Amino acid sequence: KREKKNLLIISRRKKIGLTQEEIAERIGVSPRYYQMLESKKPTAVKIDLIEKIAKALKITPSKLLDF
């Protein structure tokens, strides 16, 4: 389940042509933290950050949570 979310985030980011660094800047986190979010390492993510990621990726938060 987590791997599908990670793949969605990665593929969506690449589809809209943004780097990890650009997404990290848009959502207000360090590039290293964003890289961790894209990795397969489990992590707890607050809902406000999920909303920021979804906005940066131009998808709905429910799309991120719907896996």
Side-chain angles (χ1 to χ4, degrees):
K1 194 170 182 178
R2 176 171 294 282
E3 289 180 20
K4 287 183 181 179
K5 285 182 187 177
N6 295 353
L7 292 175
L8 170 67
I9 291 170
I10 294 166
S11 65
R12 185 66 188 160
R13 175 181 57 78
K14 289 180 178 181
K15 184 176 182 176
I16 61 175
L18 294 174
T19 65
Q20 289 180 330
E21 291 78 12
E22 290 168 325
I23 292 287
E25 185 177 322
R26 289 180 184 205
I27 66 173
V29 299
S30 71
R32 182 176 289 260
Y33 183 77
Y34 184 77
Q35 288 170 355
M36 185 202 52
L37 293 175
E38 281 195 3
S39 75
K40 294 179 177 126
K41 298 174 189 171
T43 183
V45 181
K46 294 183 179 183
I47 191 68
D48 63 325
L49 186 55
I50 291 170
E51 290 171 345
K52 289 177 183 179
I53 293 168
K55 183 177 179 181
L57 296 175
K58 300 178 183 174
I59 58 176
T60 64
S62 62
K63 181 89 171 168
L64 285 179
L65 299 172
D66 216 16
F67 274 83

